[in-house]
Amino acid sequence: MEKCIITVVGKDQVGIIAKVCTFLADHNVNILDISQTILQGYFNMMMIVDASEAADDFSALVEDIDALGKSIGVKIKLQHEEIFDMMHRI
């Protein structure tokens, strides 16, 4: 399993979850867990996904999901679980 963390942050609008989930399905990335909240009009979502069966390599996924974020006006970041853990250690 190739666990990855996806974070999505930006102004709330209709369709953010749908567009991100459609992207993941189109690229054969499985969603393992998802949490989302809206705080004073700002959308925040965190997903744990399995990219081991992804149609593209990891760097292509990172570029494509970044482009998706730009096209819908949010910041989307895709990281390997190990990198995310190292960045957020106390």
Side-chain angles (χ1 to χ4, degrees):
M1 185 177 309
E2 185 179 357
K3 277 190 183 177
C4 299
I5 307 297
I6 296 174
T7 55
V8 182
V9 179
K11 283 239 181 210
D12 187 33
Q13 59 184 298
V14 173
I16 297 173
I17 296 173
K19 289 174 184 167
V20 173
C21 290
T22 298
F23 171 90
L24 295 174
D26 289 346
H27 289 82
N28 205 34
V29 176
N30 188 37
I31 299 168
L32 302 174
D33 201 358
I34 183 172
S35 172
Q36 68 92 33
T37 189
I38 299 167
L39 300 169
Q40 297 183 8
Y42 288 94
F43 179 85
N44 189 345
M45 178 169 66
M46 184 175 200
M47 305 172 97
I48 300 173
V49 300
D50 176 10
S52 61
E53 301 293 323
D56 297 319
D57 66 19
F58 185 78
S59 60
L61 282 175
V62 170
E63 288 179 24
D64 291 348
I65 205 164
D66 182 60
L68 171 65
K70 289 177 182 173
S71 75
I72 61 176
V74 297
K75 176 70 175 169
I76 304 178
K77 188 164 187 125
L78 170 65
Q79 300 173 296
H80 284 290
E81 181 183 39
E82 297 82 19
I83 300 296
F84 183 86
D85 288 344
M86 293 300 255
M87 289 177 57
H88 294 90
R89 284 171 79 170
I90 297 177

